[in-house]
Amino acid sequence: MTSMTTIPTSSSAPLTNALRSRRLPVWALVAIGVAAAVLAVLLFKVAGLMDGGWVLTLVGAVLIFLIGLSVISSVVEGRRAARNRVATSLIYSAFVLALVPLVSVVITLLNKGRTRLDGTFFNNSMRNITAFDSGGGAYHAIVGTLEQAGIATLITVPLGVAGAIYIVEYGRGRLANTIRFFVDVMTGIPSIVAGLFILAFWVLIVSPHLSSTHQPFNSGFAAALALFVLMLPTVTRSTEEMLRLVPASLREGSFALGIAKWKTIMRIVIPTALPGIVTGIMLAVARAAGETAPVLLVAGGTPNRNFNPFEGNQESLSVYIYDQAAAATKYGPPRAWTAALTLVALVLLLTVVAKLLSRRTKLNQK
Amino acid sequence: MKLQRHGILAGLALTATFALAACGSDNNTTPPANAGGGSSSASNPIACASGTLNAAGSTAQQNAINEWVKDYQTSCSGANIVYTGNGSGAGQQAFISGTADFAGSDSALTAADQPKADARCKTGPAIHLPMAVGPIAVVYNVQGVTNLQLKPATLAKIFAGKITTWNDAAIKADNPSATLPSTKILTVHRSDSSGTSDNFTKYLGTVDAADWTFGHDKTWKGPGGDAEKGSDGIASLLGKTDGAIGYVEWSFAQADSLNVAKVGNGAGEFATLDGDSAGKTIASAKTTGSGDDMQLSIDYNTTAAGAYPIVLVTYEIVCEKGNDATKLPLLKDFLSYTASTGGQQAITKVGYAPLPDSVRAKVASTVSNLS
Amino acid sequence: MSQPSFPGSAEAASAASADSPNDLTVQDDTRAVDIPRHRSGGRGPVAPMGGGGALPPKRRFGAESVFRWFTTGAGTIVLVIIVAIAIFLIVKAVPAIKADKANFLTHFEWFPNDPTDPKFGIASLAFGTVFSSAIALVLAVPVALGIALCLSHYAHKRLANGLGFLIDLLAAVPSIVFGLWGRDYLVDPVRQLSGWLHKYFGWIPLFGSDGPYGKSILLGSLVLAIMVLPIVTSLSREVFRQTPGMNEEAALALGATKWEMIRMAVIPYGRPGLIASVMLGLGRALGETIALALTLGGGWAVGSDIIHDGGNSIAANIANGFGEANDIGRGALIASGLVLFAITLIVNMIARAIVYRRREFIGSAV
């Protein structure tokens, strides 16, 4: 027996199998679940403890289940197994708990968004349509969002990823630490401050030199610059973490074959980390596409089409939502919700495409 | 290879953008079902200039400007007028920095900002033109009460938190025939700063200085109550909350079919809110300002019979001289339309009251002299 | 691993690292890279026979140095932008703070637009920002990590992909939609919950208020938590997925339960990444503008109570005040942005201090 006691799980009960401890059968789990549910209903619903409604009953049932499970499991299976079971249940219930609001948001979006999901919406702008008119569309806003977010992504991704490569692969000492620190700080810049910064720097100082009349002007490009300021820290920070997670053995293997460092990074490190990097980029794109304040400030918004991102007011979906949601009529809010649905669908589509493209190069180490 | 793949992605995105660019249109040709009728009527002096005009400012006049822009652009397809409703302050700042050709504002430029605006206009001062007048509606949601009347003092006490239930004696005195419940009063105000809050609190402070001691500001200074962002926020809460009372621009009350209270005026009667009754208050307003610069000062205690006293005047801030030569024709033509009788009539159906004719005529003549 | 290893021993080194990957740091890794340059190993020039010839001499303007300079430049751009933003903020903020008739740091109210008597102070706003973000993180992070673990280690792969898709969908929902959803749908449940909390837990200062309920810090924090959730989940899921399979298998082979394996192998390996994802979430929470402007009740009160109507934050106040701000008002809002900047700075310093203190235990890349 002395050699057996080193296996903690076997110490509590006589063993039928030296390697496997006793496990709770599935029916026991179901029984605990049913008992917890009945008890919760009796306590909160029937006896009315703490004004119990269905929500409280449900929460109570889960709590009772967890307590019951941990007690019974630790008696039968031992403490380690009991912990494992409780942790597993907690992880699953965290999941279910989070799904409730998330599903509610999605259902609201789908439900309210489908009202104006028609051809007019995708083929027309808002020119000559006021808040008191039906019809009208978000076509100009979709184009604006694509152009602004597209330009911002084109600027951000090379710079952000390269910055992360510097921090992880090349940087040492004070500069790298400082950069890393300020990338974190940059994540907290409120979007309107980024907009004000671009307004002061680009629209008021640079843009007069670009116009024939020397007047400052709004443009989609200015909005893209503001979005760039907002996206950069997210891309850099997430890429940095993903690069760090690439096992050193992969790099060493490459170096050992005499491959230059830059080539190792581009061919081995980046492809390995690519799915994670893409996740970070798409999070940044999603956030940028949903920004209202900076776009309103430096691109102005317009009911008309404007395909030229470098001159003149331009609309974006988020500005469109902001505008229409605040309208005093029955026509505005449905347009806003449909635009929100469109924006989500658009970003999601891009995310899926990006993930599919990045998955093929994934060097899975598992 | 990876780069190629990203190239493909970028290519796809570009192609999609161009494909989109090819299929959509700006022309909402089929005449949309307009809530209030609306293409340009015969009396509009639209000469049709073309070009692009950028304006920004007050959200309180956004519906009026959009209506005018629609009328103007329907007649003149070569014109592009863009109004960004991002707030009076933002509009003023955009005007000063030069990104906006004119600004819409609920309040006059401050003494500190006026010189900067003048400097932006190079050769001439920046002037205020009263253009759209919007009544502010007192809206409420009380079960079983549809015809609420409130004296100014009662209104001030409610928002000051001195009257807390709907069956308070003061409200009963104003509404002898109504059956008032004992519901708690929930006052609702704007959480964002706005000219509407400023005007409403200015009104409260003018008509009942004894009860409303909080002064006026664009940010709500009163005690307690619930705060909502934007008039749409207030309207949305009012629609579903029993016992609530708030203030919104008239168009929001109309759009959401909210109950609008009759408000007592200086003549001692309860005035229903409509274009006529609001117009009577404005007719009694005095103009201040020097030269072509016109500011209206509203008499909230107006004794004119049937006048609805809570109104908000919004201005266009423009350069009297020194306008960009390429924009001037469009600016003048558009503003002379908005200051015409036809233009003023066009916005009555979206919740505004027309300017009194004497004021309108002066604005129109100032507009024709812009250079 | 700290001495430069010979190219020939790379395989042995990586084999050793597989046993204890947690000891493998990226710093070690970069040292390994120096091998080709230093050529300090015992390996002298060898005749070009077979594959293992002499390493080429370092070129001064090769692809390697171009790449290196590019990444360094990209990293430096972050610093340049952040310094530019800081200068911009300070330049705009100072005149407004000078015009302030009240103490900027201790005054509670915010009325900067008064032409004769501008009075504004950051105290209540700063408190609201930190308070609401902290509550949001406390609510969101455990749930987010639970979901991430569920997706990476518990759920069936197909299911995990589908649910991961749902989470990505939420990352794409623009904040104004969360704000409208919170304002129109979440407010009633929160009102009921607030009443319930006060009735049974009113002795806790957090739930001390007797109403009115609804648009409170609780509502704002819940909405923030739901918004932060997808960010933390997406990134930490990627981090968890990157745990080397060997670490997990080693833990399981030693008899660990699944939960013990996660605690011993998965979480320590990913801890820096987890902290990064939480910091990104925090950045979003601190800087969130429109959703809080729609869900917080406003006002300038400061207290430990979270269920009473009210609450304000720096970013929400910027959104609420910006439109009607005059010159001083705008400067005052920028000054508040500067304070938010400083708050982010301090929070990041604290987080960094925690990570550094733990570094010796984690051993892995920090």
Side-chain angles (χ1 to χ4, degrees):
Chain A
M1 266 318 274
T2 46
S3 65
M4 298 302 284
T5 47
T6 53
I7 303 169
T9 46
S10 61
S11 57
S12 60
L15 292 174
T16 50
N17 179 336
L19 274 175
R20 300 199 55 173
S21 55
R22 274 176 54 175
R23 288 177 59 91
L24 278 178
V26 177
W27 63 260
L29 296 179
V30 176
I32 297 174
V34 171
V38 170
L39 199 60
V41 169
L42 283 178
L43 269 180
F44 296 111
K45 200 68 193 160
V46 178
L49 191 68
M50 294 176 116
D51 298 340
W54 278 115
V55 179
L56 183 65
T57 311
L58 206 66
V59 174
V62 171
L63 282 180
I64 297 172
F65 175 75
L66 283 176
I67 295 169
L69 183 69
S70 78
V71 169
I72 293 174
S73 169
S74 64
V75 168
V76 178
E77 300 176 310
R79 282 187 55 190
R80 290 173 60 222
R83 270 202 189 155
N84 186 38
R85 284 204 185 275
V86 171
T88 308
S89 319
L90 274 178
I91 283 171
Y92 278 111
S93 35
F95 195 83
V96 175
L97 177 72
L99 277 184
V100 174
L102 300 188
V103 168
S104 163
V105 170
V106 173
I107 288 178
T108 309
L109 199 57
L110 287 174
N111 204 20
K112 293 211 153 196
R114 68 190 169 148
T115 345
R116 277 300 317 276
L117 215 55
D118 50 36
T120 318
F121 189 80
F122 294 102
N123 280 314
N124 288 68
S125 70
M126 289 295 287
R127 185 180 168 87
N128 294 349
I129 301 282
T130 70
F132 297 87
D133 298 321
S134 63
Y139 164 69
H140 58 310
I142 296 172
V143 173
T145 290
L146 285 177
E147 288 188 351
Q148 289 157 20
I151 293 173
T153 312
L154 282 182
I155 307 173
T156 312
V157 169
L159 282 178
V161 173
I165 291 175
Y166 170 74
I167 295 172
V168 177
E169 307 283 345
Y170 289 107
R172 236 164 297 163
R174 191 158 279 182
L175 180 63
N177 276 333
T178 318
I179 291 175
R180 226 170 65 205
F181 180 70
F182 279 106
V183 168
D184 274 346
V185 174
M186 210 172 161
T187 57
I189 294 180
S191 51
I192 197 158
V193 169
L196 283 167
F197 171 66
I198 295 300
L199 177 75
F201 160 73
W202 181 265
V203 177
L204 299 185
I205 295 176
V206 179
S207 83
H209 299 290
L210 305 175
S211 95
S212 52
T213 56
H214 299 287
Q215 281 286 323
F217 59 90
N218 294 332
S219 64
F221 182 70
L225 284 181
L227 298 182
F228 155 70
V229 172
L230 293 171
M231 286 171 73
L232 189 63
T234 312
V235 171
T236 310
R237 196 71 178 89
S238 55
T239 307
E240 182 196 333
E241 288 310 322
M242 293 308 151
L243 291 181
R244 279 183 198 291
L245 288 172
V246 174
S249 53
L250 285 179
R251 293 185 181 89
E252 283 159 7
S254 174
F255 296 146
L257 293 172
I259 311 287
K261 183 163 184 176
W262 71 277
K263 229 175 203 176
T264 305
I265 293 168
M266 292 305 287
R267 291 283 170 81
I268 307 289
V269 178
I270 299 265
T272 310
L274 197 59
I277 296 177
V278 168
T279 301
I281 292 173
M282 293 322 291
L283 278 176
V285 170
R287 178 170 179 196
E291 277 302 341
T292 311
V295 180
L296 193 62
L297 202 59
V298 296
T302 168
N304 305 325
R305 286 186 308 179
N306 177 10
F307 298 136
N308 181 359
F310 296 101
E311 197 177 349
N313 281 21
Q314 203 177 36
E315 187 83 343
S316 84
L317 274 170
S318 49
V319 171
Y320 184 89
I321 298 167
Y322 181 77
D323 246 18
Q324 295 298 324
T329 65
K330 61 180 177 187
Y331 302 113
R335 286 196 279 251
W337 283 104
T338 306
L341 185 59
T342 312
L343 178 56
V344 172
L346 205 64
V347 174
L348 204 61
L349 188 75
L350 290 175
T351 309
V352 170
V353 170
K355 287 210 165 171
L356 284 180
L357 286 177
S358 70
R359 187 187 283 174
R360 274 197 277 162
T361 54
K362 185 178 180 182
L363 303 176
N364 205 335
Q365 339 118 41
K366 282 194 189 173
Chain B
M1 34 149 211
K2 182 169 51 23
L3 291 176
Q4 261 172 15
R5 204 162 281 143
H6 287 170
I8 294 172
L9 181 61
L12 273 176
L14 269 179
T15 321
T17 314
F18 287 131
L20 257 169
C23 72
S25 89
D26 237 359
N27 300 325
N28 290 296
T29 40
T30 39
N34 190 326
S39 60
S40 53
S41 62
S43 62
N44 304 334
I46 294 181
C48 270
S50 60
T52 301
L53 211 54
N54 289 318
S58 157
T59 47
Q61 59 169 285
Q62 192 168 16
N63 284 330
I65 293 265
N66 284 346
E67 193 68 25
W68 285 326
V69 167
K70 181 174 86 170
D71 287 355
Y72 193 86
Q73 288 182 161
T74 315
S75 308
C76 316
S77 57
N80 277 316
I81 302 163
V82 177
Y83 184 83
T84 308
N86 51 4
S88 306
Q92 291 178 358
Q93 301 292 330
F95 176 73
I96 289 171
S97 66
T99 51
D101 300 312
F102 69 88
S105 179
D106 306 336
S107 53
L109 289 162
T110 60
D113 283 335
Q114 181 74 47
K116 293 181 195 161
D118 293 345
R120 178 252 196 245
C121 292
K122 296 185 184 101
T123 56
I127 55 171
H128 301 79
L129 302 171
M131 201 60 88
V133 177
I136 299 171
V138 175
V139 288
Y140 62 95
N141 181 347
V142 189
Q143 212 158 24
V145 182
T146 50
N147 212 350
L148 192 69
Q149 316 187 109
L150 295 170
K151 280 198 180 115
T154 320
L155 197 57
K157 283 189 187 113
I158 289 176
F159 278 96
K162 291 177 180 168
I163 296 178
T164 54
T165 54
W166 279 106
N167 58 1
D168 190 277
I171 304 181
K172 261 189 182 153
D174 290 351
N175 302 274
S177 59
T179 44
L180 294 160
S182 60
T183 322
K184 260 193 173 176
I185 297 179
L186 176 69
T187 59
V188 191
H189 56 85
R190 295 278 289 269
S191 63
D192 50 337
S193 61
S194 92
T196 313
S197 293
D198 193 31
N199 271 272
F200 186 66
T201 47
K202 220 185 263 178
Y203 163 80
L204 293 178
T206 310
V207 294
D208 187 5
D211 287 310
W212 187 261
T213 52
F214 308 98
H216 67 89
D217 194 278
K218 288 180 169 183
T219 306
W220 182 257
K221 279 186 156 175
D226 190 85
E228 292 287 336
K229 182 169 169 57
S231 292
D232 58 314
I234 295 188
S236 150
L237 185 82
L238 254 296
K240 64 182 185 193
T241 311
D242 187 30
I245 182 167
Y247 57 95
V248 292
E249 290 96 32
W250 188 23
S251 55
F252 286 88
Q254 290 173 313
D256 288 13
S257 316
L258 299 173
N259 291 324
V260 179
K262 289 183 186 172
V263 176
N265 59 19
E269 35 179 32
F270 292 106
T272 314
L273 169 54
D274 55 35
D276 273 352
S277 60
K280 283 174 186 158
T281 303
I282 301 151
S284 69
K286 287 184 276 294
T287 49
T288 57
S290 58
D292 285 334
D293 188 33
M294 288 173 75
Q295 293 167 29
L296 282 186
S297 112
I298 301 283
D299 179 13
Y300 293 122
N301 275 319
T302 180
T303 49
Y308 180 85
I310 321 175
V311 291
L312 162 77
V313 183
T314 67
Y315 304 92
E316 313 306 332
I317 300 174
V318 294
C319 289
E320 187 179 21
K321 294 193 181 71
N323 283 294
D324 184 349
T326 55
K327 308 234 177 189
L328 184 64
L330 182 57
L331 179 70
K332 275 175 82 169
D333 198 40
F334 176 67
L335 289 182
S336 42
Y337 166 61
T338 64
S340 69
T341 39
Q344 287 294 317
Q345 204 54 48
I347 56 169
T348 52
K349 56 187 183 261
V350 289
Y352 296 84
L355 285 171
D357 216 47
S358 57
V359 178
R360 188 201 59 73
K362 189 158 183 243
V363 172
S365 85
T366 308
V367 167
S368 63
N369 289 328
L370 292 181
S371 62
Chain C
M1 272 305 287
S2 55
Q3 304 88 13
S5 40
F6 302 104
S9 69
E11 202 179 327
S14 64
S17 71
D19 293 337
S20 55
N22 290 350
D23 297 326
L24 191 68
T25 69
V26 170
Q27 280 88 340
D28 292 342
D29 188 33
T30 49
R31 264 174 228 135
V33 181
D34 293 336
I35 302 157
R37 263 178 273 129
H38 295 317
R39 287 204 269 155
S40 58
R43 195 155 183 178
V46 175
M49 278 175 63
L55 293 159
K58 189 190 170 198
R59 274 175 297 168
R60 194 170 281 217
F61 295 109
E64 175 65 37
S65 49
V66 170
F67 188 75
R68 193 189 175 112
W69 282 114
F70 173 63
T71 58
T72 313
T76 316
I77 280 183
V78 175
L79 274 190
V80 172
I81 292 176
I82 208 104
V83 168
I85 290 180
I87 292 174
F88 161 76
L89 289 174
I90 292 169
V91 165
K92 294 273 177 178
V94 165
I97 294 181
K98 273 189 181 156
D100 192 356
K101 296 265 176 73
N103 186 324
F104 180 70
L105 292 177
T106 56
H107 194 64
F108 277 23
E109 297 185 326
W110 193 269
F111 294 108
N113 289 312
D114 194 312
T116 54
D117 190 27
K119 277 187 173 173
F120 53 95
I122 199 73
S124 140
L125 296 175
F127 171 79
T129 306
V130 175
F131 197 36
S132 57
S133 300
I135 295 173
L137 280 197
V138 166
L139 293 172
V141 168
V143 178
L145 296 188
I147 302 175
L149 277 177
C150 190
L151 292 178
S152 67
H153 284 86
Y154 282 86
H156 184 268
K157 199 163 182 199
R158 277 264 165 77
L159 186 71
N161 279 339
L163 294 171
F165 184 77
L166 184 71
I167 304 283
D168 287 342
L169 184 100
L170 282 150
V173 175
S175 38
I176 186 167
V177 171
F178 280 111
L180 290 172
W181 175 80
R183 186 190 78 180
D184 294 343
Y185 294 92
L186 193 60
V187 66
D188 290 329
V190 165
R191 190 171 287 138
Q192 287 167 10
L193 175 69
S194 302
W196 184 82
L197 283 172
H198 175 66
K199 189 166 172 189
Y200 293 100
F201 300 97
W203 45 271
I204 302 175
L206 287 177
F207 312 125
S209 158
D210 55 356
Y213 306 127
K215 300 201 67 176
S216 53
I217 290 200
L218 180 63
L219 176 66
S221 301
L222 276 171
V223 170
L224 264 190
I226 294 166
M227 295 175 68
V228 165
L229 198 69
I231 295 179
V232 180
T233 305
S234 292
L235 285 177
S236 45
R237 181 188 48 172
E238 294 297 333
V239 168
F240 288 144
R241 273 192 187 158
Q242 296 281 349
T243 316
M246 280 200 214
N247 291 22
E248 298 176 5
E249 282 154 21
L252 291 175
L254 288 171
T257 61
K258 190 159 192 175
W259 173 241
E260 285 165 341
M261 180 271 280
I262 284 170
R263 270 187 45 212
M264 292 189 304
V266 178
I267 291 181
Y269 187 82
R271 183 171 281 140
L274 294 186
I275 290 175
S277 71
V278 172
M279 295 312 290
L280 273 182
L282 179 66
R284 170 112 201 222
L286 287 173
E288 180 48 50
T289 310
I290 193 77
L292 283 184
L294 284 165
T295 51
L296 288 180
W300 322 109
V302 167
S304 62
D305 187 284
I306 61 167
I307 55 173
H308 190 272
D309 265 9
N312 218 327
S313 85
I314 293 177
N317 184 58
I318 294 180
N320 280 333
F322 182 78
E324 297 295 330
N326 61 21
D327 207 32
I328 297 221
R330 195 180 266 206
L333 292 174
I334 291 177
S336 74
L338 190 64
V339 173
L340 182 55
F341 200 76
I343 291 176
T344 324
L345 206 87
I346 294 166
V347 169
N348 275 292
M349 278 160 125
I350 296 171
R352 196 126 290 201
I354 296 171
V355 179
Y356 270 114
R357 215 181 45 199
R358 298 215 170 205
R359 182 165 64 162
E360 47 191 317
F361 300 109
I362 313 161
S364 119
V366 173

